[in-house]
Amino acid sequence: MMEPLGPFQDIWDAWIEAEYDISQKPLLHFERATQIQFEELREHLARGDHEAAARELIDVVSIALNHLRNLGFTPDEIAELAKSRARYRMQGQAKTILEKYQTNYGI
């Protein structure tokens, strides 16, 4: 049987040892950690190192998973949330979502 988080289960498991510490972190921790990863991503892309850039994006996924852990979600619940979000928010709406970001935020 596949783990609930598929290839991301190992990331979840790697952070079990810090579960209590993660539960004490404020939103700002996750926000800043994500910003740092994107700063590092830019540096790797500027050097043309796509593999290092990809690792930074995996770190962004790790931060997102840890924030979900901080909010009290389990891997099974996260898997269901992801499936539901894709099904009801993203499928058939990807272009509309991109247009929203362009119209509302200029990106």
Side-chain angles (χ1 to χ4, degrees), residues 12 16 21 26 30 35 41 49 51 56 63 67-68 72 80:
W12 178 272
I16 288 173
D21 298 313
F30 301 99
Q35 290 170 342
L41 171 64
D49 190 343
E51 286 196 29
E56 300 305 338
I63 294 164
H67 196 192
L68 287 160
E80 188 50 43

Side-chain angles (χ1 to χ4, degrees), residues 4-84:
L5 298 174
F8 300 110
Q9 187 68 49
D10 288 344
I11 293 172
W12 178 272
D13 294 344
W15 285 90
I16 288 173
E17 68 181 273
E19 208 159 38
Y20 175 77
D21 298 313
I22 291 166
S23 74
Q24 303 302 302
K25 298 293 183 186
L27 174 61
L28 181 61
H29 167 84
F30 301 99
E31 182 178 2
R32 183 63 185 126
T34 302
Q35 290 170 342
I36 291 166
Q37 296 310 310
F38 275 94
E39 290 165 8
E40 293 174 358
L41 171 64
R42 271 189 217 89
E43 292 171 11
H44 294 308
L45 290 174
R47 289 193 311 271
D49 190 343
H50 289 187
E51 286 196 29
R55 288 191 296 273
E56 300 305 338
L57 290 169
I58 295 299
D59 289 348
V60 171
V61 171
S62 175
I63 294 164
L65 287 171
N66 278 326
H67 196 192
L68 287 160
R69 181 193 309 264
N70 171 275
L71 294 173
F73 290 98
T74 67
D76 287 321
E77 291 168 328
I78 294 166
E80 188 50 43
L81 283 167
K83 290 175 190 175
S84 176

Side-chain angles (χ1 to χ4, degrees), residues 90-107:
M90 298 172 188
Q91 278 183 345
Q93 300 178 67
K95 288 186 178 188
T96 303
I97 294 168
L98 285 176
E99 289 169 5
K100 171 188 167 185
Y101 279 98
Q102 175 63 44
T103 302
N104 294 353
Y105 306 103
I107 60 170

